[in-house]
Amino acid sequence: MSPHVSRNFVSRRDFLRYSGILSAAAAVSATVGACGGPASTTSTGGDDKGLITAVIGYGNDQTWDPTMTASAFAMAGNNHVYEGLIDTDPVTRDPYPALAAAAPADPNATTWRFALRQGAKWHDGQPVTADDVVFTFERVLNPSTLAYSFFAAWLQEVRKVDDATVELVLKFPFPDGIQRLTIAKIMPKHVYSAPGGWDAAKSGKAIGSGPYKLVEHNPKANTRFEAFADYNGPRKPAVQKMNWLSIVDASARVAKISGGSAEAQVAENIPYANIDQLRQGGLRVEGGKGMNHLFLMFNTGQKPFDDKRVRQALFHAIDTRKMIDVALKGHGTPATSFLNEQNPAYAKAKTVYDYDPDRARALLAEAGVSGLTITLMAVNVSWLADCLPTIANSWEAIGVKTELQPQDTSALFTKMDQSQSYQVVAAASNPNQFGLDPDLILRYNYTAGGTWMKYTKWDSSPEAKTLFAAMDQAIREPDPARRQQLVHDYLDMVADQAVLYPVVHNELVTAWNPQKLEGVQPQPYPGMNLLQAKRI
């Protein structure tokens, strides 16, 4: 989630490479497997029913290290290559034993003992041992990793009992930690403890114990997988081969799955404007509602954005219904909390930013602000870019002159790293890639010293310190009802402060050919899971 920079966490510059939630970053050159150059990114030899060709709308050239990545492509790929002790269903998010033989008998205990699945092997044929689990969690609990903030608040240590048994020692009872164990993908010590091992993981070397082996990796092009013959876990591969194409351009992505000569059977991140076209062409097109959202982030180190009334005014000014109808073609919901309405912990916030230009003008007047000019920097994600004119027109309508600056994501955040002069940023995010519990989601953005808080210049404020203390209190609360109330209280704080806050939550859409593929589960966060998909 949010890298904890103040505790030697990952730098903001590195974070951009790790974060696939935010479009593409710097290219990485790596090829895994025996190949002399970039492989074809299309299927070959006709319609091979042992092969799924899938189109992913995000880059595959960011880090593949499971302890560091937030890349939509890499995280989806890693879910097929690696296993946690416990994994979760990609859609229901229900936990199930993966490398562990069974889940803990008592989720409320402060020590969880796990026996490893008998006969589990790494893709290079070596057996999975307790040493691998301890090695992985030592990495996870290192403050230099992205995974650290998911675990450090509640997990004390992981220790070896014997070669096939480990114990997790918790700081306090934390049953939500069961689902979070899927984030800690167990990695082979003999591979990644070698000199340069973590650099290799970053560049695309992936050796796990899961149902698929990564056999070829061509950054900015494609990644190939093959079924692992010795896999003996609960979710066996349904096809022998997969070729995942990285196609960020929306029109090229749609073309790859369209028409009688379509080379792919399934594609995610489908543009809303193409849904009817693809359905008329015989494809099945389904969306998933989740936390995927457009958010605004303010530099509170610059006046007048240090005044919450100004931030609130700019949210109230946005005609979100027009944005949803025009830019998102109806596939969105106005944000009424930091969480989306489908989240089990959702409650409508005390502060809701309904479209109210009169209220916006009044708030600006209360703050003593007039003649405001804003440069709105934004990532160039296609659906988000479609939303920007509505924001600009809405702000102009209340007398706020607005200049839009959509740009490549890495370029935008490099500017933010190098300059203190930015004002407001619009970007896209979806912490549901990691899980659903509200503590996990909030810590993605709101962690003291974390990357996003560094950008906002807000986390040293009294209000931020109150928020962080409230989050720490909630995670330790043993009574579920009381904990839920504490969560709703700090979500209300986040809504009131409007420092980094969603404008709309939008739907993510997947399309596939039902004549050639079955068992597809559209998911409400970026990426794809094909463990239950089968060729027809």
Side-chain angles (χ1 to χ4, degrees):
M1 314 269 312
S2 286
H4 205 304
V5 177
S6 66
R7 301 189 61 174
N8 297 320
F9 222 106
V10 53
S11 72
R12 285 174 287 172
R13 189 174 186 180
D14 282 342
F15 179 79
L16 296 171
R17 295 203 304 268
Y18 305 149
S19 181
I21 296 173
L22 294 176
S23 185
V28 177
S29 294
T31 301
V32 177
C35 57
S40 168
T41 60
T42 64
S43 56
T44 58
D47 191 13
D48 182 353
K49 292 189 177 182
L51 168 72
I52 292 178
T53 300
V55 181
I56 312 294
Y58 304 91
N60 71 339
D61 59 340
Q62 297 132 60
T63 180
W64 283 68
D65 175 356
T67 70
M68 296 297 270
T69 194
S71 159
F73 196 116
M75 287 189 69
N78 284 341
N79 286 337
H80 296 72
V81 171
Y82 294 99
E83 299 174 280
L85 291 171
I86 301 292
D87 278 330
T88 59
D89 183 90
V91 176
T92 68
R93 311 314 282 265
D94 293 333
Y96 62 90
L99 261 180
D106 182 8
N108 288 293
T110 54
T111 299
W112 295 338
R113 176 170 287 203
F114 293 96
L116 300 182
R117 188 177 73 233
Q118 292 185 1
K121 293 182 180 180
W122 299 113
H123 294 159
D124 63 4
Q126 297 296 311
V128 178
T129 70
D131 290 329
D132 298 310
V133 179
V134 173
F135 166 76
T136 298
F137 276 98
E138 287 177 347
R139 169 78 169 175
V140 164
L141 291 175
N142 185 324
S144 68
T145 64
L146 181 61
Y148 174 82
S149 62
F150 300 144
F151 293 92
W154 57 275
L155 181 60
Q156 181 67 43
E157 64 173 327
V158 177
R159 59 197 182 199
K160 175 180 177 179
V161 176
D162 57 41
D163 286 346
T165 311
V166 296
E167 284 185 342
L168 276 63
V169 181
L170 281 61
K171 297 177 180 179
F172 50 85
F174 187 57
D176 283 348
I178 296 293
Q179 284 89 343
R180 287 198 197 182
L181 293 179
T182 189
I183 301 169
K185 299 302 185 188
I186 307 304
M187 304 177 72
K189 179 178 180 180
H190 69 278
V191 174
Y192 296 108
S193 65
W198 293 115
D199 287 336
K202 179 192 300 185
S203 298
K205 183 173 186 177
I207 296 178
S209 61
Y212 285 94
K213 301 184 295 182
L214 191 156
V215 296
E216 187 177 308
H217 180 57
N218 300 294
K220 294 194 172 183
N222 72 308
T223 302
R224 290 182 181 268
F225 307 85
E226 290 183 0
F228 178 39
D230 289 335
Y231 176 72
N232 67 346
R235 297 207 169 182
K236 300 186 183 303
V239 294
Q240 287 301 304
K241 296 176 289 183
M242 297 190 298
N243 186 24
W244 289 16
L245 314 180
S246 171
I247 304 179
V248 177
D249 178 75
S251 59
R253 193 161 60 248
V254 170
K256 191 65 70 171
I257 198 173
S258 302
S261 60
E263 297 170 359
Q265 296 86 44
V266 58
E268 57 94 67
N269 197 13
I270 295 297
Y272 306 126
N274 296 104
I275 291 175
D276 289 343
Q277 166 204 341
L278 294 176
R279 284 176 174 162
Q280 291 169 7
L283 297 186
R284 186 168 175 182
V285 186
E286 292 187 8
K289 293 183 178 180
M291 197 181 169
N292 207 67
H293 61 274
L294 180 161
F295 67 85
L296 295 180
M297 176 171 62
F298 294 88
N299 179 358
T300 65
Q302 281 215 356
K303 291 186 178 297
F305 308 110
D306 59 334
D307 189 326
K308 76 175 183 180
R309 292 171 296 185
V310 174
R311 303 191 297 264
Q312 291 175 339
L314 293 172
F315 274 100
H316 272 303
I318 298 172
D319 189 346
T320 51
R321 178 49 56 191
K322 180 178 180 181
M323 177 185 293
I324 291 166
D325 291 343
V326 175
L328 303 180
K329 311 300 182 187
H331 296 273
T333 304
T336 56
S337 166
F338 195 85
L339 302 179
N340 60 298
E341 294 180 9
Q342 291 75 27
N343 189 288
Y346 167 84
K348 188 175 183 179
K350 289 182 179 179
T351 304
V352 175
Y353 296 102
D354 296 323
Y355 175 49
D356 191 342
D358 290 337
R359 176 65 176 150
R361 293 186 189 97
L363 284 165
L364 290 177
E366 288 176 22
V369 173
S370 61
L372 181 60
T373 298
I374 292 177
T375 298
L376 178 61
M377 299 167 63
V379 300
N380 61 350
V381 175
S382 57
W383 66 264
L384 186 146
D386 291 341
C387 294
L388 296 179
T390 300
I391 297 177
N393 292 336
S394 297
W395 288 354
E396 294 275 358
I398 63 164
V400 176
K401 186 176 180 180
T402 306
E403 178 187 352
L404 298 177
Q405 288 189 357
Q407 56 203 278
D408 177 78
T409 299
S410 59
L412 186 155
F413 283 93
T414 297
K415 290 178 183 177
M416 292 174 64
D417 285 335
Q418 296 173 349
S419 171
Q420 305 299 310
S421 64
Y422 59 91
Q423 298 175 310
V424 189
V425 171
S429 183
N430 195 330
N432 286 169
Q433 288 187 128
F434 301 103
L436 296 178
D437 77 81
D439 176 80
L440 178 153
I441 289 170
L442 260 292
R443 289 179 193 270
Y444 179 80
N445 293 121
Y446 286 90
T447 292
T451 293
W452 297 108
M453 289 295 93
K454 288 285 189 180
Y455 286 145
T456 64
K457 312 293 191 299
W458 182 73
D459 64 348
S460 61
S461 69
E463 294 84 0
K465 292 177 181 178
T466 299
L467 171 65
F468 301 146
M471 292 168 63
D472 288 341
Q473 179 187 2
I475 196 176
R476 290 178 173 270
E477 173 56 51
D479 179 70
R482 174 60 180 157
R483 183 170 64 249
Q484 185 86 320
Q485 184 57 55
L486 292 173
V487 167
H488 292 162
D489 289 346
Y490 71 63
L491 287 171
D492 285 339
M493 295 182 200
V494 171
D496 176 66
Q497 290 297 315
V499 171
L500 188 158
Y501 203 70
V503 177
V504 293
H505 297 284
N506 68 306
E507 193 174 12
L508 292 175
V509 180
T510 300
W512 68 97
N513 187 336
Q515 304 301 316
K516 296 185 177 181
L517 203 61
E518 64 182 7
V520 176
Q521 293 182 288
Q523 59 190 36
Y525 51 94
M528 187 176 293
N529 188 293
L530 296 175
L531 290 177
Q532 295 178 313
K534 300 177 182 178
R535 284 299 309 269
I536 300 173

